[in-house]
Amino acid sequence: MKIKGLRWWIITLIFIATVINYIDRTAFALLWPEMGKDLGMDNADYAIMLNVFMATYAAGKFLSGKLYDAIGTRLGFVVSIVVWSLASMFHAFARGLISLSIVRGLLGLGEAGNWPGAVKSNGEWFPIKERAIAQGIFNAGASIGNVIAPFIIIFLYAQFGWKTTYIILGAVGMLWVVPWLFLNKSTPEKHPWVTEEERNLIVVDRIDKDELLDKKKVKSLSLLKILSYKESWGLLLCRFFIEPIWWFFVGWMPIYLHSKFGLSIEEIGASIWISYLGGAAGSIAGGWFSGKLMGTKTVDASRKLTITLGGGMIFLGLLGIIFLVNETNFMTFIYIATFVLFGFQFAIGNIQTISSDLFKGPSVGTLAGLAGTVAAISVMIMNWFIGQITTNSYTPAFIVIAVTIPLSLLVLFTLIKKIGPVRE
């Protein structure tokens, strides 16, 4: 049996996993008021839970990257989603601060693997010119998950209560494993269902194509060896500077809308989804745009032009928020935030694929995971910093994150002179 376009089925499953990922993590904030009351916990405990999740999430990015390089993407995704799905179920059995900290930590460890796993899988299953669109489809899952999570979780809560809601969400993740193992039997060069045409398309521009054709086992580079290349540092620092922008809007936008405009939870929910849809559209558009450029331009030029264009959208949007938004026009903010998140996702998919542009398959997960860890640490720094400078106004926060855009582009262009295989 042969399946035409099997790579698109693979990325569709990863997209669905990403939607599940975001629904599972969003449940905590939505269910906390009732959950916290039942467990006798307060907002101080909630803050601890957020930090526990983010700390294990940061560690999980690097650890899962190493795991994927060791056991492959097929089993790596199974480990990640089983861990976070079980952790989601275990929320129903938490009894206090310690037990809830454990399950939140497990959720962070498991959910972190989705990102380095997707980067590595896309490097395996897609030719260079299609990797950004594949990454865009994957990243769109995060935005779509944010859009639909409130509707799904509130419906389940109304029908079954918060404990059963967690169990149902975890069970959905476990069910995802079945089609994944059925379809993703092996890497494309060995998969029995891949057509010869698709296999040749995928393998032709792989960095490790010679080893694949000779059926040699390609060894992963050590972490120190990967870090000995300035190109690796270019990617790490670019992610460090640009990543907090997405998390600022995801984590702080509801609080900002309430503080600045006095919106209720219902009013925030009725409008904020527009911005997340903008992010989903940007994910697809950025991948399509860079792939289109590769018809006439090099990988280096296509990636950098797309990233620069996305960065420019973010920067202009943040200036618009600083100078155009006042206390009476919250929909103006929503529309500009939509433009900002469109620009972010337009750029980030191409940034994330750089790992597979620089290194061979067995090293991609390690670098992608480390980049995710660095990004998560920068988000933790940003969360603390934003809390310090927004006591009276959010304008300083928007100024700070606007400054990170030129910094991210500077390190990218300075340290990665040419996006392509590093010289070993």
Side-chain angles (χ1 to χ4, degrees):
M1 183 177 73
K2 301 292 183 182
I3 298 178
K4 190 174 181 179
L6 184 59
R7 66 192 186 281
W8 299 108
W9 288 96
I10 298 295
I11 193 59
T12 298
L13 283 175
I14 294 176
F15 166 85
I16 294 171
T18 309
V19 173
I20 295 171
N21 186 294
Y22 260 77
I23 292 174
D24 286 359
R25 76 172 63 182
T26 303
F28 190 63
L30 293 172
L31 298 175
W32 175 254
E34 193 65 27
M35 184 180 177
K37 184 170 65 175
D38 287 352
L39 297 177
M41 301 172 72
D42 56 21
N43 284 347
D45 297 316
Y46 178 73
I48 292 173
M49 295 302 100
L50 292 181
N51 287 336
V52 166
F53 175 86
M54 189 54 71
T56 58
Y57 188 76
K61 286 290 185 77
F62 175 67
L63 294 174
S64 58
K66 296 292 289 183
L67 175 70
Y68 279 71
D69 280 341
I71 67 175
T73 53
R74 182 176 188 260
L75 293 180
F77 265 106
V78 172
V79 172
S80 292
I81 201 164
V82 166
V83 168
W84 96 58
S85 296
L86 287 175
S88 182
M89 290 180 176
F90 291 159
H91 278 64
F93 306 100
R95 292 293 177 265
L97 183 64
I98 294 176
S99 57
L100 189 56
S101 295
I102 293 172
V103 297
R104 291 303 294 171
L106 285 174
L107 188 74
L109 282 173
E111 290 205 335
N114 201 48
W115 272 256
V119 173
K120 184 174 176 63
S121 180
N122 291 342
E124 292 172 344
W125 278 94
F126 288 87
I128 288 177
K129 68 177 183 179
E130 291 181 351
R131 285 177 193 166
I133 187 66
Q135 194 69 22
I137 292 170
F138 156 70
N139 280 334
S143 300
I144 297 300
N146 272 325
V147 171
I148 68 175
F151 301 101
I152 293 174
I153 293 165
I154 290 172
F155 172 78
L156 291 175
Y157 169 72
Q159 299 297 316
F160 306 109
W162 68 267
K163 292 184 179 181
T164 303
T165 295
Y166 274 118
I167 293 174
I168 293 172
L169 294 178
V172 171
M174 299 293 281
L175 288 174
W176 177 91
V177 172
V178 177
W180 174 257
L181 289 177
F182 178 73
L183 277 176
N184 192 11
K185 295 182 179 299
S186 181
T187 51
E189 62 274 7
K190 300 176 184 177
H191 201 297
W193 295 350
V194 175
T195 65
E196 195 65 29
E197 180 184 4
E198 185 174 23
R199 182 180 288 111
N200 291 335
L201 175 68
I202 294 169
V203 174
V204 68
D205 56 7
R206 285 267 294 272
I207 298 174
D208 53 352
K209 65 180 178 181
D210 293 333
E211 291 90 341
L212 292 174
L213 293 174
D214 292 338
K215 309 250 189 288
K216 294 178 181 176
K217 175 115 176 131
V218 184
K219 294 182 179 180
S220 174
L221 299 177
S222 69
L223 178 60
L224 288 178
K225 181 65 174 177
I226 291 173
L227 291 179
S228 70
Y229 297 102
K230 67 180 187 302
E231 291 86 355
S232 298
W233 287 99
L235 175 61
L236 296 177
L237 291 173
C238 182
R239 289 287 301 275
F240 179 87
F241 287 122
I242 202 171
E243 197 81 16
I245 294 168
W246 171 260
W247 289 89
F248 174 80
F249 279 88
V250 170
W252 291 87
M253 186 157 53
I255 299 172
Y256 169 79
L257 289 171
H258 175 72
S259 173
K260 176 86 172 180
F261 305 105
L263 300 186
S264 66
I265 293 175
E266 292 77 12
E267 289 170 326
I268 292 171
S271 58
I272 201 171
W273 62 270
I274 298 172
S275 299
Y276 296 136
L277 276 185
S283 297
I284 305 300
W288 172 85
F289 183 73
S290 66
K292 196 74 174 173
L293 288 178
M294 286 181 197
T296 57
K297 298 182 182 297
T298 65
V299 173
D300 178 69
S302 301
R303 292 263 191 266
K304 287 180 177 176
L305 183 57
T306 305
I307 294 167
T308 302
L309 185 57
M313 292 184 215
I314 301 170
F315 190 74
L316 289 175
L318 291 171
L319 291 181
I321 291 173
I322 293 168
F323 294 108
L324 300 179
V325 174
N326 57 46
E327 287 77 6
T328 61
N329 58 352
F330 82 90
M331 283 308 298
T332 299
F333 171 81
I334 291 293
Y335 294 137
I336 297 177
T338 302
F339 183 69
V340 170
L341 294 185
F342 180 95
F344 178 87
Q345 291 292 350
F346 192 90
I348 196 66
N350 283 271
I351 295 171
Q352 290 170 334
T353 60
I354 291 175
S355 297
S356 59
D357 294 329
L358 298 177
F359 292 99
K360 296 177 182 179
S363 303
V364 172
T366 299
L367 180 57
L370 182 59
T373 295
V374 169
I377 291 172
S378 74
V379 171
M380 295 172 69
I381 295 171
M382 182 272 294
N383 282 333
W384 173 84
F385 190 61
I386 296 301
Q388 302 298 310
I389 65 175
T390 56
T391 52
N392 298 314
S393 170
Y394 278 81
T395 299
F398 289 115
I399 293 173
V400 168
I401 61 174
V403 171
T404 65
I405 297 301
L407 290 175
S408 64
L409 294 176
L410 177 64
V411 295
L412 179 70
F413 279 82
T414 302
L415 296 176
I416 308 181
K417 297 296 185 183
K418 180 182 179 182
I419 297 176
V422 296
R423 293 190 299 274
E424 298 179 16

